[in-house]
Structure formats: C-alpha cells, structure tokens
Amino acid sequence: MTSRWKAYLLGALLFFCAASWSRTGAQERPEDVSEPAQADTLALSDQVIAYARSFLGTPYKLGAAGPSRFDCSSYTSYVFRHFGYDITAYSAVQFREGRAVESYRDLQKGDLVFFGKRGSVRNIGHVGIVVSIDKESGGFTFIHASVSGGVVEQSFNHPYFMMRYMGARRILPDE
C-alpha cells in the first residue's frame, strides 16, 4: 500500500470519526466508533475531499501534472480522475465542463470554483475544489494548488478571492 493511499485512508477515517463525534456530542463516546470507517461509506464528495486533502502541502509548479507537484488545474484534474471523472487539466476549459452552479449560495462540497487572473478578472486563471459551505453567510472554504503555498485549504472570504470569483461548475452528481 503506497503512502499516498495510506494518507487518503487515514484522512477519510479521521473525517468520519470527527463527523460521528460532532453528531453525538462530547459527553459520550459513540457506540459505532469501535469499527473502523470504510472509505466507501462516505458520500462521493467526502471521498473526493479526503483524497484532495491527502495532497496538502504538495508544492506548486506551473505545468506539473502531479502527484509530487501540481498547478491548480492539474491538481483538480488529478483528483477527479482518481474517481473516474476525466476533466481537462486547464482551468479555462474546466470552466465549461460539468454543470453550471448558478450562485455560490448553491454550491455543494466537491464543486469546482473559478477565479479570474491576477491582471484580468475577466479571464479564468485559477480553480479549486469546495470543501465546506456556510449557507448562512454564503461563504465557503476550498482546497487548491496555490503558487505561494502549494496545495492548501483557504476561505473564500479572503478579499483576493472574493474580488476574483467567476463561478462554479458541478462535476459530481447532485447531493
């Protein structure tokens, strides 16, 4: 078993355990924790996120296709290809793939979110994967391959991303 696969399984297990713990409360130990969580029991979007998280800290390199280095669109393409979704490794083309998400308030985990280029907010220049959504505020967090930090999770509420948000596409089935 490769170290990436072990990291993926560990991430899925930790996510499932954390979700179970938060549903039952901190006062009592959930009865079903004694059996290890299986990755296939998670929703597809949660599996995609767990796999995407297994690359946290992977360095950025323009044009790299992974898994030791990524640019933003090769990262999203690599993650989705693992689950049988063949999307182009170019953010401007990815913006035409899948189904349009009309508003960021309609986002679901696993959706692709797109941002304008630094010098031109009219052209797609960056892409990430939605990790969580705050339905009240309309905000979300996403995971992406950033130039400065490699693969990281970040909040949409950062002014850099809020000013450049261009839209979203859904590749996975609706949840």
Side-chain angles (χ1 to χ4, degrees), residues 1 11 15 19-20 22 25 33 38 49 61 66 76-77 79 81 106 109 113 122 132 148 152 159 164 166 169-170 175:
M1 190 180 276
F15 176 83
S20 295
S22 66
V33 169
Q38 299 296 317
I49 292 165
K61 183 174 182 188
T76 55
S77 177
V79 168
R81 189 176 323 111
D106 297 326
K109 292 184 293 181
V113 285
R122 292 184 181 177
S132 66
S148 60
V152 295
R164 289 173 172 78
M166 302 279 295
R169 303 296 288 189
R170 183 157 302 143
E175 290 189 347

Side-chain angles (χ1 to χ4, degrees), residues 13-14 20 36 62 96 111 125 128-129 132 150 160:
L13 177 64
L14 291 173
S20 295
L62 183 62
R96 296 188 303 264
D111 285 347
I129 303 168
S132 66
Y160 179 88

Side-chain angles (χ1 to χ4, degrees), residues 9 12 19 91 140 143 146 151 155 169:
L9 288 177
S91 58
F140 59 89
I143 190 167
S146 76
V151 177
S155 172
R169 303 296 288 189

Side-chain angles (χ1 to χ4, degrees), residues 35-55:
E35 299 214 10
Q38 299 296 317
D40 60 353
T41 63
L42 295 174
L44 180 58
S45 61
D46 292 327
Q47 291 179 48
V48 168
I49 292 165
Y51 185 67
R53 283 179 169 154
S54 74
F55 297 101

Side-chain angles (χ1 to χ4, degrees), residues 115-134:
F115 304 92
K117 289 182 178 182
R118 187 178 298 263
S120 169
V121 294
R122 292 184 181 177
N123 297 313
I124 298 296
H126 196 66
V127 61
I129 303 168
V130 174
V131 172
S132 66
I133 303 110
D134 181 345

